[in-house]
Amino acid sequence: MPPPSEPLRKLGFLTIGLFDEADPARGHESTLRVIELGERLGFDSAWVRHRHLQFGISSPVAVLAAATQRTSRIELGTAVIPLGWENPLRLAEDLATVDVLSGGRLNPGVSAGPPMGFDRVREALYPDTADAEDFGHRRVARLLAHVRGEPVTDFRGTEGIEVFSDRVQPHSPGLADRLWYGAGSLASARWAGEHGMNLLVSSVVKAEGRTGFADIQREHIRAFRAAHPDGVRARVSQGLVVIPTDSATAGQRAKYHDYAAARLPRTAEPQGPAGLLFSPDFVGTSGQIAERLHDHAAFREVDEVAFALPFTFEHDDYVQILTDIATALGPALGWRAQAPVGLT
């Protein structure tokens, strides 16, 4: 298969950070250890998913704050924070704080839309304003404005002995350029481009009457870049589920193939009222996966990835998968680690 036009420039990974309800500290510690491992292996970025009222990371910004103190080079991202659960001004403060702590390594990814299962949580989340809340792109625009340092009040100065700013503090220069939008539809991809954001594409898209996952995703990427001020240079990161088996045990290989097979039926046709179309998981040797990716219409459009780790595997599985991605799959895709590869 022909290689992509450009070698892979940035290699990242995404984890959901599952935990046992009876022992949540162990799962969070595992996530932090996985991020530390990613840095030692030379990955460019580590991303965490966001899960509310589930047994996954509910506060990725807090987890990444901890990760800033246990890493020094790897970029840290969220993929993605659903803004329907957030106050954009308060989130902007948290993001800027963590970016300062990280030395400018934070890559916040966000999405629009009402909270998942909103009817079940509306009284707890917005008891007085549920019907007035705007969960669309204007909520994202508010966050963008706050992070960029636009005024949030008409007062700046001293009141008594207190000194006040008219913009979010701390202000972290450069953070706005590292804001990402997780788009699953053509309209959202265009909107992200028009507003100068970076684009995250994952293993799910809205079919919107079209067929072929890779072709739909390629259309999203091209529409985003056509609308973006930076054009073809606008950043896009792809997040497919990728499971190399080079160093896996026989038991791990069987588990990985069973996992992918159980999820394969949802890739045959759009699912649910939203018409969501899922990508198959990529399981096999690094050579086999690289060949499939080189022939993937959307992968050929990008030079950055954040490969998603499967949700339900064990810590040792993640160590094996990440090690194979960094030492075998990444190089097969043209990537080279910026730091020496190897464990200490």
Side-chain angles (χ1 to χ4, degrees), residues 178-297:
R178 286 178 271 112
L179 280 171
W180 298 74
Y181 188 81
S185 71
L186 190 60
S188 288
R190 286 199 186 103
W191 185 92
E194 291 166 354
H195 288 78
M197 300 185 74
N198 306 304
L199 180 67
L200 291 169
V201 293
S202 67
S203 57
V204 57
V205 297
K206 287 187 177 181
E208 298 175 312
R210 301 185 299 282
T211 59
F213 178 92
D215 291 335
I216 294 171
Q217 195 170 74
R218 176 177 60 185
E219 185 178 359
H220 291 180
I221 294 169
R222 290 182 174 179
F224 163 76
R225 287 180 168 149
H228 199 287
D230 293 339
V232 296
R233 297 185 306 277
R235 294 179 66 184
V236 180
S237 181
Q238 188 183 45
L240 302 175
V241 177
V242 170
I243 312 173
T245 60
D246 303 79
S247 66
T249 65
Q252 286 174 320
R253 288 195 298 272
K255 176 167 65 173
Y256 300 165
H257 283 289
D258 288 346
Y259 175 86
R263 287 156 49 95
L264 188 61
R266 68 180 188 162
T267 69
E269 58 185 7
Q271 305 291 304
L276 301 180
L277 188 62
F278 292 83
S279 167
D281 301 327
F282 289 69
V283 184
T285 67
S286 289
Q288 292 168 337
I289 293 174
E291 185 174 353
R292 290 178 64 190
L293 289 173
H294 285 325
D295 196 40
H296 192 283

Side-chain angles (χ1 to χ4, degrees), residues 6 24 44 65 105 123 168 198 294 312 316 327 341 344:
E6 298 289 340
D44 296 290
R105 291 184 284 137
E123 291 305 314
V168 165
N198 306 304
H294 285 325
T312 57
D316 288 347
T327 60
V341 175
T344 58

Side-chain angles (χ1 to χ4, degrees), residues 3-4 22 65 83 119 133-134 156 165 201 205 227 250 267 276 294 304 308:
L83 288 187
D119 288 343
E133 293 291 335
D134 175 14
R156 178 184 182 92
S165 170
V201 293
V205 297
T267 69
L276 301 180
H294 285 325
E304 301 185 43

Side-chain angles (χ1 to χ4, degrees), residues 95-126:
L95 295 176
T97 299
V98 175
D99 195 47
V100 168
L101 290 172
S102 74
R105 291 184 284 137
L106 191 63
N107 282 263
V110 300
S111 66
M116 182 182 296
F118 186 48
D119 288 343
R120 297 193 297 269
V121 299
R122 56 182 288 149
E123 291 305 314
L125 190 59
Y126 298 111

Side-chain angles (χ1 to χ4, degrees), residues 79-105:
V80 291
I81 298 173
L83 288 187
W85 292 78
E86 305 289 340
N87 179 297
L89 193 153
R90 275 290 301 117
L91 179 61
E93 292 178 325
D94 287 346
L95 295 176
T97 299
V98 175
D99 195 47
V100 168
L101 290 172
S102 74
R105 291 184 284 137

Side-chain angles (χ1 to χ4, degrees), residues 18 24-36 70 315:
L18 291 180
R26 186 165 64 91
H28 284 75
E29 175 62 23
S30 173
T31 297
L32 292 170
R33 287 171 55 201
V34 162
I35 294 172
E36 289 178 291
R70 294 169 65 155
H315 183 86

